[in-house]
Amino acid sequence: MAADWTHTNDSSGGQAEDKAFFDKPKNVRLVMRGFYFGCAVVVILDIVNLVQHLIGAHELRHAEHPLENLPEFYVLYGFVGVALLVVISKGLRKILMRPEDYYDR
Amino acid sequence: MIGSLPPAAIMILGALLVPALSGRIQKAYILALPILGFLYFVSLGTGEFGQVGIFSYELTLVRIDGLSRIFGYLFHIAAVIGLIFAMRAENSMEHVAALVYAGSAVGAVMAGDLIVLFVFWELLALSSVFLIWVRGTERSYHAGIRYLIVQVGSGVLMLTGILIHYQTTGSLAFDHLGLGTLGTNLIFLAFGIKCAFPFLHNWLIDSYPEATPWGTVFLSAFTTKVAVYALARGFAGTEILVFIGAAMTVFPIFYAVIENDLRRVLSYSMINQIGFMVCGIGIGTELAVNGAVAHAFNDVLFKGLLLMSMGAVLYRTGKVNGSDLGGLYKSMPKTTGLCLIGAASISAFPLFSGFVSKSMVISAAIHEGYGGVWLALLFASAGVVEHAGIKIPFFAFFAHDSGIRCKEAPRSMLIAMTIAAAFCIFNGSFPGAFLYPMLPYAVEYVPYTTAHVVAQLQLLFFAMLAVVWLMSSGRYPPELRSVNLDTDWVYRRLGPRAALAVARVAVFLRTGTVNTVLVGVNSTVTGVRKHLGVTGVMGRTWSTAGSVIWVALLLSFFLILYYTK
């Protein structure tokens, strides 16, 4: 069955084919700029929310949990949460990681 | 007669005819079965059907109500999508196993009492193991055996629980059970094994990634979701589930970061998603149970979509490790796009299905005052973005170019993935059209408020930004060829080693004991022979005269005793 899984590893293909979308640094920069712009927008929305709160106008967000009243709570929680997650997991490798054939030996 | 035939029977009995057919007719027949089953199931409406008397028991084969109906829909849809995806499978035994497996899942969620549930529960285990074994590798064989032991073990626990429950209550009804008696506790444990509770979870991580490209898609759809249904039916509102569920959402995401096999990453991700459902069931309010059930529905489709995209990669390249892949968007652009839809759905981006159902559970946690659990669920949601939203598509289709050039996924696979993707977008963008009316309770939940959308985008964008920052600063852990120790270490390494050690001690003790006993026996035998043997004092033949003297002495002794009294 495995033989049927067609797999052509063509080493000369790299030169023959046109440069793909993400092979051009310009396109990568474009996508990343779009992403950073999105990040900036959601940060600013919380500032708008805070200003509206201070001037007593109708707020964007109705908090269900006291922490949600903290400006940029979700921004901070998402960033710090994932940064910690990855760093801790990387550390866990020291304890948990074994060679690929560990159980086969 | 119509009405006494359970909808599950169409797929299970129909599957037996598959090997007799071949070619296009066989393919058409395979696809027709779940569709026929679905039409028949819809035509039944709600109610109880198929009462059968066995011995003195009255069994109810089919019960369709608000809770089982949506799972009936889900499993038929999943069967159709999975079978389209599996059209390329050459071994028709796989189709037979998949049909029986899907049919068992339908049968289990419609089971009208505990005995019928048990029968389908075991049939799920027996049929699904073939989807692992059919891969034909040494690893898949052993993983299959371990899978079967755990699954059948769950069934045995359940049967024991059912019998004890019947002894104490005289009831076989499968309604709310609740914890507290030995019988229901055992049933709870059996559900927990199939649901992959923490420490009982490793059968899933161990076995699912060892199946064929399509086998894993089937496996991900049925077993755990039957368990979710069973928990929702029997243990809704059981508070310990809130904390079990929260733990399930959190611990697998650490493993998902460092796991190299991308289908194993998705297996950890499954436990994470089931955690949201278990948590919702534990909270037990109408909103929470609705959220759990809706999330089960959506999860089968987006997790199926992600596993199908990885299955297509495995099918075309023979590889599925993050360390071996990269740059496949050039060869498989359609698969890439479909995978990204699955990634957006599981990450709960607004307009995609996960956003609607996951938020129902998270909102319910806040409403009921579970602040700590709410924080855990938010953390887990951000973690999903890391492993399923970014890691899966990034390492397979983008990252560094691995140099692999292959064909786009076959058309049948693309069709299956497209159907799943369509559900992901439709259920996310128009939850009121199909999903809400199917849920067990009336829905008042409004996911699309400005506040909610903004909060979710903030969480997601900055979770992604953290990954981007870690990657660009070189802090992100690279994909490494490795295995990571999990609880299966206990029975795959510690168990065998301990057994070996025990055996060594036993051999030592046995040799010691046997030697001691032998020495003891030897000296006893020598002693016995010395005193009782032919030449021993007690064994000699005495002369008649000597004997008469002894008898005379004895009689004299009695005479003296008699007179002195």
Side-chain angles (χ1 to χ4, degrees), chain B residues 21-51:
Chain B
L21 305 169
S22 63
R24 284 174 177 275
I25 298 175
Q26 189 190 44
K27 286 180 178 171
Y29 177 74
I30 288 169
L31 270 185
L33 284 175
I35 294 172
L36 267 177
F38 178 68
L39 294 175
Y40 173 60
F41 153 70
V42 172
S43 77
L44 283 178
T46 53
E48 297 198 347
F49 311 94
Q51 273 82 6

PDB file of all heavy atoms in Angstrom, chain B residues 21-51:
ATOM      1  N   LEU B  21     -18.979  -6.927  -3.684  1.00  0.00           N
ATOM      2  CA  LEU B  21     -19.056  -6.027  -4.837  1.00  0.00           C
ATOM      3  C   LEU B  21     -17.658  -5.570  -5.227  1.00  0.00           C
ATOM      4  O   LEU B  21     -16.697  -5.768  -4.502  1.00  0.00           O
ATOM      5  CB  LEU B  21     -19.926  -4.816  -4.498  1.00  0.00           C
ATOM      6  CG  LEU B  21     -21.337  -5.140  -3.988  1.00  0.00           C
ATOM      7  CD1 LEU B  21     -21.988  -3.889  -3.440  1.00  0.00           C
ATOM      8  CD2 LEU B  21     -22.170  -5.742  -5.102  1.00  0.00           C
ATOM      9  N   SER B  22     -17.586  -4.912  -6.391  1.00  0.00           N
ATOM     10  CA  SER B  22     -16.275  -4.389  -6.781  1.00  0.00           C
ATOM     11  C   SER B  22     -16.453  -3.185  -7.695  1.00  0.00           C
ATOM     12  O   SER B  22     -17.543  -2.909  -8.188  1.00  0.00           O
ATOM     13  CB  SER B  22     -15.456  -5.466  -7.493  1.00  0.00           C
ATOM     14  OG  SER B  22     -16.116  -5.824  -8.685  1.00  0.00           O
ATOM     15  N   GLY B  23     -15.362  -2.458  -7.882  1.00  0.00           N
ATOM     16  CA  GLY B  23     -15.341  -1.351  -8.833  1.00  0.00           C
ATOM     17  C   GLY B  23     -16.263  -0.215  -8.434  1.00  0.00           C
ATOM     18  O   GLY B  23     -16.450   0.077  -7.249  1.00  0.00           O
ATOM     19  N   ARG B  24     -16.836   0.418  -9.445  1.00  0.00           N
ATOM     20  CA  ARG B  24     -17.674   1.593  -9.218  1.00  0.00           C
ATOM     21  C   ARG B  24     -18.935   1.251  -8.425  1.00  0.00           C
ATOM     22  O   ARG B  24     -19.418   2.053  -7.631  1.00  0.00           O
ATOM     23  CB  ARG B  24     -18.093   2.213 -10.559  1.00  0.00           C
ATOM     24  CG  ARG B  24     -16.987   2.998 -11.208  1.00  0.00           C
ATOM     25  CD  ARG B  24     -17.392   3.467 -12.586  1.00  0.00           C
ATOM     26  NE  ARG B  24     -16.327   4.288 -13.152  1.00  0.00           N
ATOM     27  CZ  ARG B  24     -16.198   5.580 -12.930  1.00  0.00           C
ATOM     28  NH1 ARG B  24     -17.058   6.208 -12.173  1.00  0.00           N
ATOM     29  NH2 ARG B  24     -15.200   6.260 -13.466  1.00  0.00           N
ATOM     30  N   ILE B  25     -19.474   0.053  -8.687  1.00  0.00           N
ATOM     31  CA  ILE B  25     -20.693  -0.346  -7.970  1.00  0.00           C
ATOM     32  C   ILE B  25     -20.419  -0.404  -6.475  1.00  0.00           C
ATOM     33  O   ILE B  25     -21.213   0.064  -5.656  1.00  0.00           O
ATOM     34  CB  ILE B  25     -21.192  -1.715  -8.483  1.00  0.00           C
ATOM     35  CG1 ILE B  25     -21.539  -1.592  -9.967  1.00  0.00           C
ATOM     36  CG2 ILE B  25     -22.378  -2.203  -7.679  1.00  0.00           C
ATOM     37  CD1 ILE B  25     -21.925  -2.892 -10.626  1.00  0.00           C
ATOM     38  N   GLN B  26     -19.240  -0.958  -6.140  1.00  0.00           N
ATOM     39  CA  GLN B  26     -18.883  -1.042  -4.729  1.00  0.00           C
ATOM     40  C   GLN B  26     -18.786   0.358  -4.115  1.00  0.00           C
ATOM     41  O   GLN B  26     -19.305   0.617  -3.031  1.00  0.00           O
ATOM     42  CB  GLN B  26     -17.549  -1.773  -4.583  1.00  0.00           C
ATOM     43  CG  GLN B  26     -17.210  -2.083  -3.137  1.00  0.00           C
ATOM     44  CD  GLN B  26     -15.783  -2.574  -2.975  1.00  0.00           C
ATOM     45  OE1 GLN B  26     -14.854  -2.015  -3.559  1.00  0.00           O
ATOM     46  NE2 GLN B  26     -15.607  -3.612  -2.185  1.00  0.00           N
ATOM     47  N   LYS B  27     -18.136   1.270  -4.830  1.00  0.00           N
ATOM     48  CA  LYS B  27     -17.970   2.623  -4.304  1.00  0.00           C
ATOM     49  C   LYS B  27     -19.323   3.310  -4.103  1.00  0.00           C
ATOM     50  O   LYS B  27     -19.570   3.969  -3.088  1.00  0.00           O
ATOM     51  CB  LYS B  27     -17.094   3.456  -5.244  1.00  0.00           C
ATOM     52  CG  LYS B  27     -15.641   3.065  -5.145  1.00  0.00           C
ATOM     53  CD  LYS B  27     -14.752   3.864  -6.067  1.00  0.00           C
ATOM     54  CE  LYS B  27     -13.307   3.433  -5.855  1.00  0.00           C
ATOM     55  NZ  LYS B  27     -12.389   3.978  -6.838  1.00  0.00           N
ATOM     56  N   ALA B  28     -20.187   3.152  -5.103  1.00  0.00           N
ATOM     57  CA  ALA B  28     -21.511   3.769  -5.007  1.00  0.00           C
ATOM     58  C   ALA B  28     -22.286   3.178  -3.829  1.00  0.00           C
ATOM     59  O   ALA B  28     -22.955   3.893  -3.074  1.00  0.00           O
ATOM     60  CB  ALA B  28     -22.278   3.558  -6.302  1.00  0.00           C
ATOM     61  N   TYR B  29     -22.158   1.855  -3.675  1.00  0.00           N
ATOM     62  CA  TYR B  29     -22.873   1.164  -2.599  1.00  0.00           C
ATOM     63  C   TYR B  29     -22.384   1.641  -1.237  1.00  0.00           C
ATOM     64  O   TYR B  29     -23.169   1.919  -0.324  1.00  0.00           O
ATOM     65  CB  TYR B  29     -22.661  -0.339  -2.755  1.00  0.00           C
ATOM     66  CG  TYR B  29     -23.282  -1.169  -1.659  1.00  0.00           C
ATOM     67  CD1 TYR B  29     -24.666  -1.353  -1.604  1.00  0.00           C
ATOM     68  CD2 TYR B  29     -22.493  -1.757  -0.677  1.00  0.00           C
ATOM     69  CE1 TYR B  29     -25.233  -2.111  -0.590  1.00  0.00           C
ATOM     70  CE2 TYR B  29     -23.048  -2.513   0.327  1.00  0.00           C
ATOM     71  CZ  TYR B  29     -24.421  -2.688   0.371  1.00  0.00           C
ATOM     72  OH  TYR B  29     -24.982  -3.435   1.369  1.00  0.00           O
ATOM     73  N   ILE B  30     -21.040   1.782  -1.113  1.00  0.00           N
ATOM     74  CA  ILE B  30     -20.451   2.226   0.165  1.00  0.00           C
ATOM     75  C   ILE B  30     -20.999   3.598   0.550  1.00  0.00           C
ATOM     76  O   ILE B  30     -21.343   3.847   1.704  1.00  0.00           O
ATOM     77  CB  ILE B  30     -18.910   2.259   0.044  1.00  0.00           C
ATOM     78  CG1 ILE B  30     -18.353   0.841   0.004  1.00  0.00           C
ATOM     79  CG2 ILE B  30     -18.283   3.040   1.193  1.00  0.00           C
ATOM     80  CD1 ILE B  30     -16.895   0.763  -0.366  1.00  0.00           C
ATOM     81  N   LEU B  31     -21.088   4.486  -0.431  1.00  0.00           N
ATOM     82  CA  LEU B  31     -21.581   5.839  -0.151  1.00  0.00           C
ATOM     83  C   LEU B  31     -23.081   5.858   0.100  1.00  0.00           C
ATOM     84  O   LEU B  31     -23.594   6.680   0.851  1.00  0.00           O
ATOM     85  CB  LEU B  31     -21.263   6.766  -1.321  1.00  0.00           C
ATOM     86  CG  LEU B  31     -19.928   7.475  -1.249  1.00  0.00           C
ATOM     87  CD1 LEU B  31     -19.802   8.448  -2.397  1.00  0.00           C
ATOM     88  CD2 LEU B  31     -19.800   8.210   0.073  1.00  0.00           C
ATOM     89  N   ALA B  32     -23.792   4.925  -0.581  1.00  0.00           N
ATOM     90  CA  ALA B  32     -25.253   4.918  -0.461  1.00  0.00           C
ATOM     91  C   ALA B  32     -25.698   4.524   0.951  1.00  0.00           C
ATOM     92  O   ALA B  32     -26.720   5.011   1.443  1.00  0.00           O
ATOM     93  CB  ALA B  32     -25.850   3.964  -1.494  1.00  0.00           C
ATOM     94  N   LEU B  33     -24.897   3.660   1.606  1.00  0.00           N
ATOM     95  CA  LEU B  33     -25.329   3.153   2.912  1.00  0.00           C
ATOM     96  C   LEU B  33     -25.550   4.246   3.958  1.00  0.00           C
ATOM     97  O   LEU B  33     -26.635   4.319   4.548  1.00  0.00           O
ATOM     98  CB  LEU B  33     -24.328   2.109   3.425  1.00  0.00           C
ATOM     99  CG  LEU B  33     -24.426   0.731   2.763  1.00  0.00           C
ATOM    100  CD1 LEU B  33     -23.309  -0.174   3.268  1.00  0.00           C
ATOM    101  CD2 LEU B  33     -25.784   0.083   3.026  1.00  0.00           C
ATOM    102  N   PRO B  34     -24.538   5.117   4.203  1.00  0.00           N
ATOM    103  CA  PRO B  34     -24.798   6.163   5.212  1.00  0.00           C
ATOM    104  C   PRO B  34     -25.889   7.141   4.778  1.00  0.00           C
ATOM    105  O   PRO B  34     -26.625   7.663   5.631  1.00  0.00           O
ATOM    106  CB  PRO B  34     -23.445   6.875   5.361  1.00  0.00           C
ATOM    107  CG  PRO B  34     -22.660   6.504   4.174  1.00  0.00           C
ATOM    108  CD  PRO B  34     -23.146   5.162   3.731  1.00  0.00           C
ATOM    109  N   ILE B  35     -26.006   7.355   3.467  1.00  0.00           N
ATOM    110  CA  ILE B  35     -27.047   8.282   3.005  1.00  0.00           C
ATOM    111  C   ILE B  35     -28.434   7.667   3.251  1.00  0.00           C
ATOM    112  O   ILE B  35     -29.345   8.324   3.760  1.00  0.00           O
ATOM    113  CB  ILE B  35     -26.831   8.622   1.515  1.00  0.00           C
ATOM    114  CG1 ILE B  35     -25.524   9.407   1.366  1.00  0.00           C
ATOM    115  CG2 ILE B  35     -28.009   9.417   0.959  1.00  0.00           C
ATOM    116  CD1 ILE B  35     -25.092   9.643  -0.056  1.00  0.00           C
ATOM    117  N   LEU B  36     -28.570   6.371   2.912  1.00  0.00           N
ATOM    118  CA  LEU B  36     -29.838   5.665   3.179  1.00  0.00           C
ATOM    119  C   LEU B  36     -30.135   5.653   4.671  1.00  0.00           C
ATOM    120  O   LEU B  36     -31.266   5.935   5.095  1.00  0.00           O
ATOM    121  CB  LEU B  36     -29.730   4.218   2.691  1.00  0.00           C
ATOM    122  CG  LEU B  36     -30.211   3.910   1.294  1.00  0.00           C
ATOM    123  CD1 LEU B  36     -29.957   2.437   0.988  1.00  0.00           C
ATOM    124  CD2 LEU B  36     -31.705   4.225   1.195  1.00  0.00           C
ATOM    125  N   GLY B  37     -29.103   5.342   5.441  1.00  0.00           N
ATOM    126  CA  GLY B  37     -29.265   5.313   6.893  1.00  0.00           C
ATOM    127  C   GLY B  37     -29.734   6.661   7.413  1.00  0.00           C
ATOM    128  O   GLY B  37     -30.604   6.746   8.281  1.00  0.00           O
ATOM    129  N   PHE B  38     -29.162   7.708   6.864  1.00  0.00           N
ATOM    130  CA  PHE B  38     -29.509   9.064   7.284  1.00  0.00           C
ATOM    131  C   PHE B  38     -30.977   9.372   6.962  1.00  0.00           C
ATOM    132  O   PHE B  38     -31.726   9.872   7.816  1.00  0.00           O
ATOM    133  CB  PHE B  38     -28.590  10.068   6.576  1.00  0.00           C
ATOM    134  CG  PHE B  38     -28.887  11.496   6.904  1.00  0.00           C
ATOM    135  CD1 PHE B  38     -28.655  11.985   8.176  1.00  0.00           C
ATOM    136  CD2 PHE B  38     -29.410  12.359   5.951  1.00  0.00           C
ATOM    137  CE1 PHE B  38     -28.930  13.305   8.498  1.00  0.00           C
ATOM    138  CE2 PHE B  38     -29.683  13.673   6.259  1.00  0.00           C
ATOM    139  CZ  PHE B  38     -29.448  14.148   7.530  1.00  0.00           C
ATOM    140  N   LEU B  39     -31.402   9.032   5.723  1.00  0.00           N
ATOM    141  CA  LEU B  39     -32.796   9.309   5.327  1.00  0.00           C
ATOM    142  C   LEU B  39     -33.760   8.542   6.218  1.00  0.00           C
ATOM    143  O   LEU B  39     -34.787   9.073   6.659  1.00  0.00           O
ATOM    144  CB  LEU B  39     -33.000   8.937   3.850  1.00  0.00           C
ATOM    145  CG  LEU B  39     -32.212   9.791   2.859  1.00  0.00           C
ATOM    146  CD1 LEU B  39     -32.395   9.272   1.443  1.00  0.00           C
ATOM    147  CD2 LEU B  39     -32.644  11.254   2.954  1.00  0.00           C
ATOM    148  N   TYR B  40     -33.423   7.281   6.494  1.00  0.00           N
ATOM    149  CA  TYR B  40     -34.274   6.467   7.342  1.00  0.00           C
ATOM    150  C   TYR B  40     -34.355   7.060   8.746  1.00  0.00           C
ATOM    151  O   TYR B  40     -35.436   7.183   9.335  1.00  0.00           O
ATOM    152  CB  TYR B  40     -33.736   5.043   7.366  1.00  0.00           C
ATOM    153  CG  TYR B  40     -34.441   4.150   8.354  1.00  0.00           C
ATOM    154  CD1 TYR B  40     -35.813   3.908   8.254  1.00  0.00           C
ATOM    155  CD2 TYR B  40     -33.741   3.540   9.384  1.00  0.00           C
ATOM    156  CE1 TYR B  40     -36.456   3.099   9.160  1.00  0.00           C
ATOM    157  CE2 TYR B  40     -34.377   2.722  10.295  1.00  0.00           C
ATOM    158  CZ  TYR B  40     -35.744   2.507  10.180  1.00  0.00           C
ATOM    159  OH  TYR B  40     -36.371   1.708  11.086  1.00  0.00           O
ATOM    160  N   PHE B  41     -33.173   7.481   9.263  1.00  0.00           N
ATOM    161  CA  PHE B  41     -33.104   8.074  10.607  1.00  0.00           C
ATOM    162  C   PHE B  41     -33.950   9.339  10.678  1.00  0.00           C
ATOM    163  O   PHE B  41     -34.721   9.544  11.628  1.00  0.00           O
ATOM    164  CB  PHE B  41     -31.630   8.342  10.940  1.00  0.00           C
ATOM    165  CG  PHE B  41     -31.395   9.459  11.923  1.00  0.00           C
ATOM    166  CD1 PHE B  41     -31.735   9.318  13.252  1.00  0.00           C
ATOM    167  CD2 PHE B  41     -30.819  10.648  11.505  1.00  0.00           C
ATOM    168  CE1 PHE B  41     -31.511  10.342  14.157  1.00  0.00           C
ATOM    169  CE2 PHE B  41     -30.591  11.674  12.395  1.00  0.00           C
ATOM    170  CZ  PHE B  41     -30.951  11.527  13.718  1.00  0.00           C
ATOM    171  N   VAL B  42     -33.858  10.193   9.643  1.00  0.00           N
ATOM    172  CA  VAL B  42     -34.640  11.432   9.647  1.00  0.00           C
ATOM    173  C   VAL B  42     -36.136  11.113   9.582  1.00  0.00           C
ATOM    174  O   VAL B  42     -36.960  11.751  10.239  1.00  0.00           O
ATOM    175  CB  VAL B  42     -34.210  12.333   8.470  1.00  0.00           C
ATOM    176  CG1 VAL B  42     -35.149  13.528   8.339  1.00  0.00           C
ATOM    177  CG2 VAL B  42     -32.782  12.811   8.664  1.00  0.00           C
ATOM    178  N   SER B  43     -36.483  10.072   8.809  1.00  0.00           N
ATOM    179  CA  SER B  43     -37.901   9.747   8.640  1.00  0.00           C
ATOM    180  C   SER B  43     -38.527   9.249   9.940  1.00  0.00           C
ATOM    181  O   SER B  43     -39.742   9.300  10.111  1.00  0.00           O
ATOM    182  CB  SER B  43     -38.057   8.678   7.553  1.00  0.00           C
ATOM    183  OG  SER B  43     -37.695   7.410   8.073  1.00  0.00           O
ATOM    184  N   LEU B  44     -37.699   8.751  10.872  1.00  0.00           N
ATOM    185  CA  LEU B  44     -38.246   8.228  12.126  1.00  0.00           C
ATOM    186  C   LEU B  44     -38.771   9.334  13.042  1.00  0.00           C
ATOM    187  O   LEU B  44     -39.634   9.097  13.874  1.00  0.00           O
ATOM    188  CB  LEU B  44     -37.163   7.431  12.874  1.00  0.00           C
ATOM    189  CG  LEU B  44     -36.860   6.027  12.363  1.00  0.00           C
ATOM    190  CD1 LEU B  44     -35.740   5.415  13.175  1.00  0.00           C
ATOM    191  CD2 LEU B  44     -38.093   5.138  12.427  1.00  0.00           C
ATOM    192  N   GLY B  45     -38.211  10.548  12.906  1.00  0.00           N
ATOM    193  CA  GLY B  45     -38.602  11.605  13.832  1.00  0.00           C
ATOM    194  C   GLY B  45     -38.081  11.296  15.224  1.00  0.00           C
ATOM    195  O   GLY B  45     -37.080  10.597  15.381  1.00  0.00           O
ATOM    196  N   THR B  46     -38.781  11.811  16.254  1.00  0.00           N
ATOM    197  CA  THR B  46     -38.325  11.523  17.610  1.00  0.00           C
ATOM    198  C   THR B  46     -39.242  10.495  18.262  1.00  0.00           C
ATOM    199  O   THR B  46     -40.375  10.292  17.839  1.00  0.00           O
ATOM    200  CB  THR B  46     -38.316  12.802  18.475  1.00  0.00           C
ATOM    201  OG1 THR B  46     -39.612  13.397  18.380  1.00  0.00           O
ATOM    202  CG2 THR B  46     -37.277  13.790  17.997  1.00  0.00           C
ATOM    203  N   GLY B  47     -38.707   9.849  19.285  1.00  0.00           N
ATOM    204  CA  GLY B  47     -39.489   8.843  19.997  1.00  0.00           C
ATOM    205  C   GLY B  47     -38.652   7.619  20.304  1.00  0.00           C
ATOM    206  O   GLY B  47     -37.437   7.617  20.081  1.00  0.00           O
ATOM    207  N   GLU B  48     -39.301   6.571  20.821  1.00  0.00           N
ATOM    208  CA  GLU B  48     -38.599   5.325  21.127  1.00  0.00           C
ATOM    209  C   GLU B  48     -39.100   4.232  20.210  1.00  0.00           C
ATOM    210  O   GLU B  48     -40.306   4.092  19.991  1.00  0.00           O
ATOM    211  CB  GLU B  48     -38.818   4.933  22.593  1.00  0.00           C
ATOM    212  CG  GLU B  48     -38.250   5.956  23.558  1.00  0.00           C
ATOM    213  CD  GLU B  48     -38.071   5.403  24.949  1.00  0.00           C
ATOM    214  OE1 GLU B  48     -38.606   4.314  25.237  1.00  0.00           O
ATOM    215  OE2 GLU B  48     -37.386   6.069  25.753  1.00  0.00           O
ATOM    216  N   PHE B  49     -38.161   3.470  19.655  1.00  0.00           N
ATOM    217  CA  PHE B  49     -38.524   2.439  18.693  1.00  0.00           C
ATOM    218  C   PHE B  49     -37.779   1.152  19.014  1.00  0.00           C
ATOM    219  O   PHE B  49     -36.774   1.164  19.697  1.00  0.00           O
ATOM    220  CB  PHE B  49     -38.146   2.873  17.275  1.00  0.00           C
ATOM    221  CG  PHE B  49     -38.595   4.253  16.919  1.00  0.00           C
ATOM    222  CD1 PHE B  49     -37.737   5.331  17.089  1.00  0.00           C
ATOM    223  CD2 PHE B  49     -39.869   4.484  16.433  1.00  0.00           C
ATOM    224  CE1 PHE B  49     -38.143   6.612  16.780  1.00  0.00           C
ATOM    225  CE2 PHE B  49     -40.288   5.771  16.127  1.00  0.00           C
ATOM    226  CZ  PHE B  49     -39.417   6.837  16.301  1.00  0.00           C
ATOM    227  N   GLY B  50     -38.304   0.061  18.427  1.00  0.00           N
ATOM    228  CA  GLY B  50     -37.576  -1.197  18.482  1.00  0.00           C
ATOM    229  C   GLY B  50     -37.478  -1.801  19.864  1.00  0.00           C
ATOM    230  O   GLY B  50     -36.394  -2.113  20.331  1.00  0.00           O
ATOM    231  N   GLN B  51     -38.626  -1.968  20.538  1.00  0.00           N
ATOM    232  CA  GLN B  51     -38.597  -2.663  21.828  1.00  0.00           C
ATOM    233  C   GLN B  51     -38.459  -4.166  21.574  1.00  0.00           C
ATOM    234  O   GLN B  51     -39.209  -4.744  20.791  1.00  0.00           O
ATOM    235  CB  GLN B  51     -39.881  -2.404  22.631  1.00  0.00           C
ATOM    236  CG  GLN B  51     -39.824  -1.155  23.482  1.00  0.00           C
ATOM    237  CD  GLN B  51     -40.120   0.108  22.707  1.00  0.00           C
ATOM    238  OE1 GLN B  51     -40.485   0.041  21.538  1.00  0.00           O
ATOM    239  NE2 GLN B  51     -39.953   1.264  23.345  1.00  0.00           N
TER     240      GLN B  51
END
